[in-house]
C-alpha cells in the first residue's frame, strides 16, 4: 500500500520543491505541526515575536534572492497582523508568500475559532490569494503562488490553510508535485524604442540617469555602471537602489541631488517610478520642460505620474546595454553640465563638514553617522529606519554595493528594521558569512519591533543594533523641559504627542541575555562601542546613542514631500 501523508507534510515538501528555503513566522493553532513538518523537509523555520516583523523579514529575503521566503502565521489576528507586511511587499514589488492557518472548513460560517475572511482580506494586497480545497491540491496552489510572486511585477501571494486540510491524510500516489517554477522569462526591448531613446539623449544638454528599486531588484548594476562610465553620465539612485552605482563613484551625483533634478533636461529612469520619492516628476523639483525616458520590466509601471516621452519595456540590463550600443561613439555628456554638478557637489559637501566634525554634546546626527561610517566595514549591509535617522544616515553612510541597504522603502513603513535585519543576517549567514549587518534605528522606530532583539539572540545573529536616541518621534525634549511639562498636571494633556521618555536606556535590553549593551553620549564612547560590537560574532550587540532632541537636517532647498502632484 502507498504511504499516507498529511497536508502538513505535503505543504512542507511543496515549498521545498518550489525552492522556498526559509520561513519566518509565529506558530500556534492550527500551524504548529506545519512548522515542524517544514523543518523535517529541510526548510528553515525562524520563529519571530511579531507577525508584521516576520512578514517584513520574509519579503526582505525575497528582495535579496529574487525568490520568495514564506511567512507562517496563525488564523484570524495572526493573518491580520501580517497584512501590513503584504501591503509593504506590494508597494515595494518584493516577492513574499504568506501562509495563514484557518479554522476547519466545517466550522466556517458558524463562529469558528478565529474565523475571518482571510482570502478576501489578503486579496487586496496579493497577486494571488487562494485556499486549497484538499491536501492533494496543495502543491498546485503553492506552485501558482510562487509563480505569482516572481513573474511579472514581483509581489505577494497568500494561501489559506484550513485546519482539516492540514491534517487530512491522503495516499502519496495521489499527490502530484509541480515542477519548480523557473525564473521569469526575459523580455527584450523593442529596437525602435531603444532608437528613439538614443535620439532623445543625443539632443540632451543636461542628461541624468535615475536608478530605482526595481533596478536593484532586477540586478542591472553592471549595465548601469557601464553606461555611466562610457558616456560620463551623471547618476542618482533612489533609497533602495543605493549602491547600484557606488556612492563614491565619480558618476554618482547624489551629493548634488537637488541641482541634478532641477536642471536635467532629459532623465533616463531605470526601474524607477515618478512617485512621491521622485516628487511626481513635476516642478519645482524638476524642470517644466524635462523629458523622461522610462525603462521598466513591467509595462504597467510606465507613465505613473508623467507621460514618458520614450517608454521602453523589457529586461533592464538588456535595455541599458542596447542603449549603450546605440550611443557608442556618438555621444558624451557635456563638460559644462559637469562643471555645474561638480560645483554643487563641492558646495554641499562643505556645508555638512562642520556638522560632521562638531563633536560637542549633546551630539548631532551628522557627527554620529560620520564617525560611525569611519569604523564600519566597507561592504557591510545597512538596515535603517526612522525619520531623520534614516534620511540623514542615507546621505552619510556610504553604500558601494547593490542591495546592501534596506530601509522604509516606497511605502515609508516604520517597524521594518529588525525584521529586515534578521533576514539580512540569515542571508549573509548562507551567502556571505564574513559580511556584517548594521541596523541603524531611530528610538521611535525601534519601538515597533524591539522584541525581535530576542530573535537575533536566539539564532545567534551578529547584528549590530544602533539606536539614535532623540527622545521622540522626529524630536523630543531635554530632561529639564520634560520634567517641567510633567509637573503641569494631566500627563495625557501636557505630554506632546511626538515626545518619548527622556534618555531611555534601550541598551539594557541586552541584560535579558546576560550581555552588556553600550550607552554613548560622546564620540569617543561611540567609537569604543562600535569597535567592541564589531568583534561580537555569536549574537547581537547594541549601541544606544543619546543625541540632541532638537537635532535636525541641514536646511533643505525644498520640502522632502511635494505638497501636490497637480
Amino acid at each position: 500500500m502507498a504511504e499516507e501523508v498529511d497536508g502538513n507534510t505535503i505543504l512542507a515538501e511543496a515549498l521545498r520543491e518550489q525552492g522556498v528555503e526559509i520561513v519566518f513566522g509565529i506558530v500556534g493553532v492550527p500551524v504548529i505541526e506545519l512548522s515542524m513538518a517544514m523543518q523535517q523537509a529541510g526548510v528553515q523555520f525562524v520563529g519571530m515575536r511579531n507577525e508584521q516583523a516576520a512578514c517584513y523579514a520574509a519579503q526582505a529575503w525575497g528582495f535579496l534572492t529574487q525568490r520568495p521566503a514564506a511567512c507562517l502565521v496563525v488564523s484570524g489576528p495572526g493573518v491580520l497582523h501580517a497584512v501590513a507586511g503584504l501591503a509593504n511587499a506590494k508597494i515595494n514589488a518584493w516577492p513574499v508568500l504568506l501562509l495563514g492557518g484557518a479554522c476547519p472548513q466545517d466550522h466556517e460560517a458558524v463562529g469558528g475559532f478565529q474565523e475571518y475572511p482571510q482570502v478576501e482580506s489578503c486579496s487586496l494586497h496579493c497577486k494571488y490569494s487562494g485556499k486549497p480545497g484538499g491536501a492533494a491540491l496543495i502543491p498546485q496552489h503553492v506552485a501558482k503562488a510562487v509563480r505569482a510572486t516572481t513573474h511579472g511585477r514581483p509581489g505577494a501571494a497568500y494561501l489559506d490553510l484550513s485546519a482539516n486540510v492540514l491534517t487530512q491524510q491522503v495516499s502519496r500516489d495521489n499527490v502530484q508535485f509541480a515542477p519548480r517554477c523557473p525564473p521569469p522569462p526575459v523580455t527584450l526591448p523593442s529596437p525602435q524604442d531603444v532608437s528613439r531613446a538614443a535620439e532623445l539623449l543625443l539632443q540632451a544638454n543636461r542628461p541624468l540617469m535615475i536608478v530605482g528599486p526595481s533596478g536593484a531588484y532586477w540586478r542591472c548594476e553592471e549595465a548601469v555602471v557601464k553606461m555611466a562610465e562610457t558616456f560620463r553620465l551623471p547618476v542618482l539612485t533612489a533609497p533602495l537602489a543605493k549602491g547600484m552605482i557606488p556612492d563614491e563613484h565619480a558618476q554618482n551625483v547624489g551629493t548634488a541631488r537637488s541641482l541634478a533634478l532641477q536642471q536635467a533636461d532629459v532623465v533616463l529612469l531605470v526601474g524607477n517610478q515618478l512617485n512621491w520619492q521622485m516628487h511626481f516628476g513635476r516642478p519645482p523639483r524638476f524642470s517644466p520642460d524635462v523629458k523622461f525616458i522610462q525603462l521598466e520590466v513591467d509595462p504597467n509601471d510606465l507613465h505613473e505620474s508623467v507621460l514618458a516621452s520614450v517608454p521602453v519595456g523589457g529586461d533592464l540590463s538588456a535595455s541599458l546595454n542596447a542603449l549603450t550600443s546605440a550611443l557608442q561613439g556618438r555621444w558624451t555628456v557635456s563638460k559644462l553640465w559637469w562643471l555645474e554638478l561638480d560645483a554643487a557637489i563641492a558646495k554641499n559637501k562643505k556645508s555638512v563638514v562642520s556638522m560632521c566634525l562638531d563633536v560637542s554634546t549633546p551630539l548631532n546626527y551628522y557627527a554620529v553617522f560620520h564617525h560611525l561610517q569611519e569604523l564600519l566595514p566597507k561592504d557591510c549591509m545597512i538596515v535603517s529606519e526612522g525619520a531623520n535617522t534614516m534620511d540623514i544616515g542615507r546621505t552619510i553612510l556610504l553604500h558601494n554595493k547593490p542591495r546592501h541597504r534596506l530601509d522604509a522603502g516606497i511605502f515609508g513603513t516604520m517597524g521594518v528594521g529588525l525584521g529586515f535585519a534578521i533576514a539580512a543576517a540569515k542571508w549573509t549567514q548562507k551567502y556571505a558569512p564574513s559580511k556584517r549587518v548594521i541596523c541603524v534605528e531611530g528610538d521611535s522606530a525601534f519601538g515597533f519591533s524591539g522584541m525581535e532583539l530576542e530573535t537575533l539572540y536566539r539564532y545567534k545573529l551578529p547584528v549590530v543594533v544602533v539606536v539614535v536616541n532623540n527622545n521622540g518621534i522626529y524630536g523630543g525634549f531635554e530632561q529639564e523641559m520634560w520634567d517641567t511639562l510633567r509637573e503641569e498636571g494631566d500627563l495625557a494633556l501636557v505630554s506632546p504627542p511626538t515626545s518619548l521618555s527622556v534618555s531611555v536606556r534601550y541598551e539594557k535590553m541586552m541584560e535579558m541575555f546576560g550581555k552588556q549593551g553600550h550607552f554613548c553620549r560622546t564620540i569617543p564612547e561611540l567609537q569604543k562601542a562600535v569597535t567592541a560590537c564589531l568583534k561580537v560574532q555569536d549574537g547581537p550587540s547594541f549601541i544606544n546613542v543619546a543625541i540632541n532632541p532638537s537635532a535636525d537636517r541641514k536646511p533643505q532647498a525644498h520640502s522632502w514631500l511635494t505638497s501636490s502632484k497637480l
Side-chain angles (χ1 to χ4, degrees):
M1 293 181 63
E3 174 193 6
E4 291 219 330
V5 291
D6 66 6
N8 289 311
T9 300
I10 295 169
L11 179 54
E13 293 180 2
L15 291 172
R16 183 190 63 203
E17 294 304 310
Q18 290 301 323
V20 176
E21 300 177 276
I22 190 167
V23 178
F24 302 87
I26 300 179
V27 300
V29 176
V31 297
I32 296 174
E33 291 78 9
L34 175 56
S35 64
M36 297 176 180
M38 289 171 174
Q39 291 178 320
Q40 291 173 346
V43 178
Q44 286 190 68
F45 180 81
V46 178
M48 305 280 285
R49 302 300 300 264
N50 178 277
E51 290 93 352
Q52 285 189 36
C55 200
Y56 295 144
Q59 64 196 255
W61 181 275
F63 173 64
L64 294 171
T65 66
Q66 293 184 305
R67 298 289 298 184
C71 174
L72 177 64
V73 299
V74 300
S75 50
V79 172
L80 284 175
H81 291 168
V83 165
L86 294 181
N88 194 68
K90 176 182 179 179
I91 300 300
N92 278 347
W94 290 358
V96 68
L97 172 58
L98 179 63
L99 306 171
C103 70
Q105 290 166 317
D106 61 336
H107 290 191
E108 293 176 2
V110 291
F113 174 65
Q114 294 185 333
E115 181 185 1
Y116 194 77
Q118 295 167 183
V119 174
E120 295 84 351
S121 296
C122 293
S123 63
L124 176 64
H125 311 287
C126 292
K127 296 176 66 181
Y128 175 66
S129 185
K131 187 182 185 75
L137 299 174
I138 288 174
Q140 73 180 57
H141 282 269
V142 172
K144 186 173 182 178
V146 168
R147 184 168 62 252
T149 65
T150 55
H151 285 221
R153 189 176 196 269
Y158 173 68
L159 291 181
D160 202 57
L161 307 169
S162 300
N164 61 298
V165 171
L166 291 176
T167 58
Q168 181 184 7
Q169 297 275 338
V170 297
S171 169
R172 187 176 281 280
D173 287 347
N174 293 331
V175 180
Q176 293 186 342
F177 289 94
R180 178 170 297 190
C181 175
V186 174
T187 304
L188 298 179
S190 160
Q192 292 80 10
D193 290 340
V194 172
S195 179
R196 289 173 56 216
E199 290 304 315
L200 185 54
L201 282 171
L202 285 170
Q203 301 170 28
N205 294 312
R206 297 180 302 279
L208 176 68
M209 183 196 298
I210 303 178
V211 185
S214 292
Y217 179 84
W218 292 112
R219 277 57 174 167
C220 66
E221 54 268 15
E222 290 185 10
V224 166
V225 173
K226 179 181 178 181
M227 186 170 187
E229 291 179 343
T230 300
F231 307 111
R232 205 176 178 228
L233 178 62
V235 183
L236 288 176
T237 57
L240 286 172
K242 294 275 283 183
M244 287 293 289
I245 185 168
D247 280 345
E248 297 176 300
H249 194 284
Q251 265 62 67
N252 191 315
V253 294
T255 311
R257 183 177 187 272
S258 291
L259 177 79
L261 294 179
Q262 285 180 306
Q263 297 300 319
D265 58 358
V266 176
V267 174
L268 175 61
L269 296 168
V270 182
N272 195 83
Q273 296 177 293
L274 292 172
N275 54 25
W276 68 272
Q277 288 186 326
M278 286 293 118
H279 309 275
F280 310 109
R282 298 171 182 264
R285 293 309 303 267
F286 286 84
S287 166
D289 302 320
V290 66
K291 294 180 173 58
F292 293 100
I293 301 167
Q294 191 173 11
L295 276 55
E296 287 288 357
V297 173
D298 187 343
N300 291 316
D301 287 335
L302 296 167
H303 312 298
E304 181 176 47
S305 180
V306 174
L307 191 68
S309 298
V310 183
V312 182
D315 177 78
L316 296 179
S317 292
S319 298
L320 283 169
N321 288 332
L323 191 53
T324 299
S325 296
L327 291 167
Q328 191 80 42
R330 304 171 61 198
W331 183 59
T332 188
V333 175
S334 163
K335 292 182 180 179
L336 293 176
W337 178 219
W338 270 107
L339 286 174
E340 293 182 60
L341 292 168
D342 286 339
I345 289 170
K347 179 181 177 182
N348 290 337
K349 284 183 176 179
K350 184 178 180 180
S351 71
V352 301
V353 166
S354 60
M355 290 191 289
C356 288
L357 300 181
D358 178 5
V359 297
S360 60
T361 57
L363 296 169
N364 71 76
Y365 286 103
Y366 292 86
V368 170
F369 293 135
H370 170 73
H371 291 89
L372 181 61
Q373 170 64 35
E374 288 188 324
L375 294 172
L376 292 182
K378 294 297 183 185
D379 66 343
C380 67
M381 300 182 72
I382 296 177
V383 177
S384 186
E385 62 175 336
N388 285 336
T389 295
M390 181 176 65
D391 292 338
I392 299 173
R394 186 187 300 129
T395 65
I396 306 298
L397 301 175
L398 301 180
H399 299 77
N400 289 317
K401 291 190 176 182
R403 294 169 298 280
H404 278 51
R405 179 180 180 85
L406 296 164
D407 67 20
I410 303 171
F411 208 26
T413 307
M414 294 299 142
V416 297
L418 273 293
F420 282 2
I422 289 166
K426 293 299 292 184
W427 180 87
T428 60
Q429 197 176 64
K430 179 166 185 177
Y431 295 104
S434 63
K435 198 177 293 294
R436 296 306 301 267
V437 177
I438 315 297
C439 185
V440 185
E441 302 268 304
D443 50 330
S444 171
F446 175 72
F448 283 89
S449 57
M451 275 310 298
E452 299 301 341
L453 188 65
E454 188 275 330
T455 308
L456 289 169
Y457 175 77
R458 189 170 5 116
Y459 289 97
K460 297 185 177 181
L461 300 174
V463 174
V464 180
V465 179
V466 181
V467 170
V468 184
N469 189 350
N470 70 348
N471 303 338
I473 304 170
Y474 302 107
F477 294 96
E478 295 280 10
Q479 187 71 57
E480 184 177 356
M481 176 60 72
W482 176 248
D483 291 342
T484 300
L485 286 170
R486 292 172 70 80
E487 290 170 0
E488 296 297 326
D490 187 345
L491 297 182
L493 296 178
V494 301
S495 294
T498 60
S499 64
L500 300 173
S501 298
V502 174
S503 298
V504 174
R505 300 296 296 272
Y506 297 105
E507 82 287 351
K508 288 187 174 293
M509 291 178 69
M510 292 298 292
E511 295 179 12
M512 295 189 295
F513 320 119
K515 306 290 185 180
Q516 292 294 316
H518 303 266
F519 181 63
C520 307
R521 292 185 184 275
T522 69
I523 291 301
E525 290 173 344
L526 174 64
Q527 292 169 324
K528 182 179 179 181
V530 172
T531 301
C533 289
L534 289 174
K535 295 178 181 177
V536 177
Q537 298 289 339
D538 61 347
S541 50
F542 200 108
I543 303 172
N544 182 15
V545 188
I547 68 167
N548 188 336
S550 301
D552 204 349
R553 301 184 67 178
K554 72 179 182 67
Q556 302 293 299
H558 295 274
S559 170
W560 69 276
L561 183 62
T562 301
S563 59
S564 173
K565 68 176 183 178
L566 300 178

